[in-house]
Amino acid sequence: MTEFWLISAPGEKTCQQTWDKMNMATSQTNLSTNHKFNIPELKVGTLDVLVGLSDELAKLDSFVESVVRKVAQYMADVLEDSRDKVQENLLANGVDLVTYVTRFHWDMAKYPIKQSLKNISEIMSKQVSQIDNDLKARASAYNSLKGNLQSLERKNVGSILTRSLADIVKKEDFVLDSEYLITLLVVVPKTSYPDWQKTYETLSEMVVPRSTKLLFEDQDSGLFSVTLFRKAIDDFKHKARENKFMVRDFQYNEEEMKADKEEMTRLSTDKKKQFGPLVRWLKVNFSEAFITWIHIKALRVFTESVLRYGLPVNFQAMLLQPNRKNVKKLREVLQDLYKHLDSSATVIDASMDIPGLNLSQQEYYPYVYYKIDCNLLENYF
């Protein structure tokens, strides 16, 4: 499972004892794989600030997770045919996400612990908001390019009733620059080839005899050219339609066709040029956003533990990776282990709507609990 439970419980005589007790109760019976989650000594501040911060961190956690998922999913979009490579590009500090989370260490350079918790959370918020804004701008530019290219590509595939004919017809297929004659292109169902050959010369007056030629075929139809006098166009089109022959609205224009081909080449080149830098940006900023997200989880555990267990700061943060088959059992064991915390004076009753603790919005347990799900593309493929 790529799901982790980040929990904390108050230190007993020592925090090590808290860890040993939980570890013995869960890992020996194969309920979970456990890791200590190291949170440095952060500045506590006042209770009022902590209560307000608890609310803000809940919103920030949700926002940052949404950005992490957006970057991951856009990486999958951009990598198109190499989606199996998506996972190997979703790294945090150069390692896979599970390794990063299980070996988490607070980044002192990015988030100096001498700063207040509020300042640290504001730094995190600014960083991730910038990533979110940059992602929107980059995605919009790349999607527009990709969309224009796909639209041109779509014109070159599909039924000959609708597709572009630029790469099918040649200059020599047409009578050009004639005051009186014109070449039309007609789509004829394969089953009607004999009818076409028999009737095309008599569909209207002024059709040049033996002027038809099969230029291209797809699964269902063929594209035929036919030459006639300009004054007979409307009559010919009308009679052709009655016989289920479709005249394509097409004029041979070398300049226009050349411009289309050049536009397609330009868009294709631009897309290739943007692809590398965009993937690099996504890798770097996914890592940044994910690292920030896990630091926010650490901040939440710290804040909530102080609010629940009181001062001086004395708790052990622990990361559990549940065994998929034993999730329910693990929850029961943790309940037994920590149910005494619920009746202590420092614990808030879950039924009370207390600002700061968000109890009504989330699952409530006698121990501090947050979920970290490293499977960021679960519903994507």
Side-chain angles (χ1 to χ4, degrees):
M1 272 177 91
T2 50
E3 179 179 307
F4 292 90
W5 296 356
L6 180 54
I7 71 167
S8 86
E12 309 217 353
K13 282 179 186 165
T14 64
C15 286
Q16 183 61 37
Q17 275 184 309
T18 305
W19 162 258
D20 290 339
K21 199 169 172 185
M22 185 282 300
N23 202 31
M24 199 173 289
T26 59
S27 64
Q28 287 187 351
T29 47
N30 198 27
L31 297 180
S32 60
T33 307
N34 307 323
H35 307 266
K36 277 186 181 175
F37 193 84
N38 297 307
I39 301 174
E41 250 180 77
L42 299 165
K43 271 191 164 182
V44 175
T46 66
L47 188 62
D48 279 357
V49 169
L50 281 184
V51 169
L53 189 62
S54 179
D55 266 347
E56 284 166 31
L57 286 173
K59 289 173 193 155
L60 186 58
D61 185 352
S62 181
F63 166 66
V64 174
E65 180 178 359
S66 77
V67 173
V68 168
R69 288 183 182 279
K70 266 193 272 186
V71 177
Q73 287 172 3
Y74 196 60
M75 174 87 81
D77 277 351
V78 170
L79 287 172
E80 291 175 28
D81 301 330
S82 354
R83 284 187 173 176
D84 51 334
K85 289 185 182 167
V86 175
Q87 220 62 50
E88 66 194 53
N89 280 299
L90 298 180
L91 303 174
N93 254 359
V95 297
D96 66 85
L97 307 185
V98 168
T99 303
Y100 178 80
V101 173
T102 53
R103 295 182 189 167
F104 174 78
H105 279 286
W106 187 271
D107 188 331
M108 301 285 184
K110 256 190 196 165
Y111 311 116
I113 58 174
K114 286 181 180 170
Q115 297 219 26
S116 70
L117 297 179
K118 190 158 181 57
N119 277 5
I120 293 172
S121 74
E122 280 168 1
I123 293 168
M124 292 172 173
S125 179
K126 274 180 193 156
Q127 277 180 335
V128 179
S129 295
Q130 187 61 54
I131 291 172
D132 192 37
N133 291 333
D134 286 355
L135 176 66
K136 281 172 191 161
R138 285 168 187 268
S140 170
Y142 189 74
N143 289 350
S144 165
L145 185 61
K146 192 171 151 186
N148 291 341
L149 183 60
Q150 281 172 341
S151 158
L152 278 179
E153 284 169 347
R154 269 197 298 275
K155 284 182 184 173
N156 289 322
V157 292
S159 160
I160 48 175
L161 282 165
T162 52
R163 64 165 288 172
S164 163
L165 302 176
D167 58 339
I168 290 174
V169 297
K170 301 180 193 72
K171 191 175 182 178
E172 54 266 30
D173 296 327
F174 296 83
V175 173
L176 298 170
D177 308 321
S178 164
E179 194 181 334
Y180 302 108
L181 293 173
I182 186 168
T183 300
L184 297 181
L185 299 178
V186 186
V187 178
V188 178
K190 280 187 172 176
T191 51
S192 305
Y193 282 8
D195 292 346
W196 169 256
Q197 293 291 356
K198 263 188 243 162
T199 60
Y200 81 91
E201 291 177 3
T202 56
L203 286 175
S204 74
E205 294 179 348
M206 302 187 180
V207 175
V208 176
R210 293 196 292 283
S211 65
T212 194
K213 186 175 157 197
L214 177 62
L215 305 179
F216 181 81
E217 285 183 303
D218 65 14
Q219 226 174 333
D220 308 306
S221 313
L223 185 72
F224 286 84
S225 61
V226 60
T227 303
L228 56 145
F229 279 75
R230 287 181 182 273
K231 59 169 76 171
I233 289 177
D234 289 342
D235 192 29
F236 184 87
K237 280 183 178 177
H238 177 68
K239 290 287 192 334
R241 202 163 38 244
E242 282 180 357
N243 285 272
K244 297 194 169 57
F245 307 140
M246 293 301 298
V247 178
R248 281 287 308 259
D249 188 12
F250 180 84
Q251 280 184 319
Y252 186 86
N253 183 325
E254 210 154 10
E255 290 304 308
E256 227 173 76
M257 283 155 62
K258 191 180 166 197
D260 273 1
K261 276 180 184 165
E262 282 171 359
E263 175 69 353
M264 195 152 167
T265 306
R266 185 187 69 76
L267 289 172
S268 186
T269 307
D270 281 359
K271 188 185 168 200
K272 280 176 190 155
K273 267 189 202 160
Q274 285 191 27
F275 177 81
L278 179 59
V279 170
R280 279 194 294 281
W281 184 89
L282 288 166
K283 276 177 80 165
V284 168
N285 287 277
F286 172 81
S287 177
E288 287 294 307
F290 186 84
I291 288 167
T292 306
W293 186 39
I294 304 306
H295 278 76
I296 289 166
K297 294 287 188 192
L299 269 189
R300 291 192 77 187
V301 169
F302 182 86
T303 305
E304 211 68 18
S305 298
V306 173
L307 283 171
R308 286 218 204 170
Y309 311 140
L311 291 168
V313 175
N314 180 30
F315 67 89
Q316 178 64 52
M318 301 164 279
L319 189 72
L320 285 65
Q321 190 172 8
N323 181 325
R324 194 189 296 275
K325 294 174 187 167
N326 296 326
V327 171
K328 198 175 170 205
K329 178 69 179 158
L330 177 61
R331 211 42 109 181
E332 287 165 5
V333 167
L334 292 176
Q335 185 67 27
D336 283 347
L337 206 54
Y338 299 123
K339 62 186 173 195
H340 65 281
L341 297 176
D342 226 2
S343 55
S344 71
T346 53
V347 170
I348 308 296
D349 179 1
S351 63
M352 290 166 66
D353 189 15
I354 305 295
L357 289 190
N358 296 314
L359 302 181
S360 53
Q361 281 89 44
Q362 65 182 47
E363 301 162 289
Y364 177 77
Y365 301 101
Y367 46 92
V368 171
Y369 159 80
Y370 296 108
K371 186 170 87 168
I372 300 172
D373 189 356
C374 293
N375 187 359
L376 301 167
L377 297 166
E378 190 175 9
N379 303 316
Y380 195 72
F381 295 124

